Amino acid sequence: MATEQTQDLIIVPCGIHGEMNMTYRWGAGDFLSKAFEELRDNGKIYANECPQCGRYHLPPRKVCGRCHVEMDGFDKWVQVGPRGTVLVYTVTLAPFLDPETGKPRHVPYCVATIQLDGAPCALEHFLKETNPENLKVGMRVEAVLKPEAQRKGDLGDIIHFKTVQE
Amino acid sequence: MNEKVGIVAQAQTKYEPLKEGVDLSEMIFDVVKQVREQTGLKFTLDGTGIDSTVTCSQDLWDGRTISGMFASDVAGAHLRPEEKVAGNGVSAAAYGCMQILSGHYDVVLMVAWCRESITNGRLVEWMSMEPFVHRMLGMDFCAAAALQARRYMDKYSVTPEDCARVVVRAHSNARNNPYAQSPRKLSVEDVLKSKELASPIRELDAKPTSDGACAIILAREDKAKKITSNPIWIKGFGSCYDAHMPGDRDLAKCDALVSAARQAYKEAGIKDPAKEISLAEISASYAYQELMYTEGLGLCGEGEAKELLAKGVTDMGGRLPVNPSGGSLVGNPVTVDGAVRVAEAFLQLSNQAGARQVPGARVAVAHGVDGACGQLHNVMVLGI
Ligand SMILES: [Zn+2]
């Protein structure tokens, strides 16, 4: 996709990293907030289970879309990870803006869907490994967390998942 | 459906990577004017012309909040009704159809547009992602599709060569389509040698940046027959969402499409889509999706689309051509791509498709999709 247009008649800078800085204050809600607090304060990753159909949500969610029922507080939370299995992965080679910094992200980087041990549910996150030769569906990985003092209470508290031999 | 709604006209711009200096309004006016001239209809409030407008666009792509607003004059909504669908054109056409079936209006204009070239599309896609989880990963539709491509290709032993064949066919078909954006003479090797974007997806596997617009006019049966001698009827429609988070799904499957297709076929009275459908126009932004969606539409079994492709069944001249227009892989903008599928189905069934005509086409399926890894699917069955 084109990132800038010089051919058009009028260019109006307007956007996320343009001259107009437009911010949103989303609410994470009590479920995602608690999940991020657990990650920041205790280094733990949680999923939650629907009391009706038994499906797990990662990160925890308040409403099960399949049953359209509200979760019963925090009592169906289960700790998952830090190890897991790679279901699929992709190595991105097209330079992309890092939304956190507004600067081009260093390529290559690898994003994977990881099934964490402890419950049948999956999360997308970075893999440390980016060499296609060393990447395999089914490979075992483990979450690498930031040092406790640097954690902010967001998904970035997990730096990436590193390959582990078992 | 008991009552019948017909499509009586279509117009498309030529799709281009960059419509330099073209105002969105000019592009919209171009196609709206064409369908008005084809039908001789005016925008009226007394039931003698076009009663209502349905627009189809995305605010973030246009860079305008409630982006239907700026288009009111060119879309025929000056002191008149206009409803906007922020989705794909199949959904917008279905919404127009429902306006007629509800008895509210008799004749409806649907117009879809997008100039992907005016902004950073990867950021637009990124903005559709879950803010606390997937945005941090810098995920756009291409990276999400890459995850799905790997899962689908692993599960059904689909090779990069199979996907490359889809691209070669798309460009080959598009050479017969005057609206198509720069169709090329490609070989499988050309596709496999193109730059890797997000493994296993390469540049030529992915739809290019595209600008353009498409309009159609829908009408109640009695009026449709007066407007044209060969209206094409909407026989059935289905719509279905999948989970938003890719991690909640088995990405090898497109359950939402299977469900949407089932609804549409039931309504249209189609029992065996693989036998009864003459051609399919499928919205695919990445080559593997054209195979996956051929299966999801029930045109063959799971994992069998690559064999249909290899045997030429889905080629022009085959028993069930897929994307005679070339499809979005050669370049149709998002939101417009669904409208193009409906417009192309109309052209085929009314025997106006020129060099890309499928002889004797009687029933067509038009497919639209939205969201990362095809979260929302819309299916429309059209017939003579
Ligand atoms: Zn449930």
Side-chain angles (χ1 to χ4, degrees), chain B residues 306-357:
Chain B
K306 60 170 183 171
E307 284 154 39
L308 294 195
L309 177 68
K311 289 179 189 154
V313 176
T314 49
D315 289 354
M316 292 305 284
R319 207 203 51 69
L320 208 172
V322 167
N323 287 351
S325 67
S328 299
L329 293 175
V330 189
N332 288 149
V334 291
T335 73
V336 183
D337 56 359
V340 178
R341 308 284 75 78
V342 176
E344 287 290 326
F346 165 76
L347 288 174
Q348 289 288 351
L349 297 172
S350 58
N351 204 24
Q352 300 180 71
R356 62 194 183 287
Q357 181 67 47

Side-chain angles (χ1 to χ4, degrees), chain B residues 270-308:
Chain B
I270 287 181
K271 295 193 174 58
D272 186 350
K275 286 214 176 73
E276 295 172 53
I277 287 169
S278 320
L279 70 112
E281 278 285 341
I282 298 175
S283 290
S285 296
Y286 304 95
Y288 81 91
Q289 290 178 343
E290 201 172 294
L291 297 172
M292 184 182 217
Y293 297 166
T294 301
E295 294 159 13
L297 283 165
L299 305 179
C300 61
E302 283 180 19
E304 290 173 10
K306 60 170 183 171
E307 284 154 39
L308 294 195

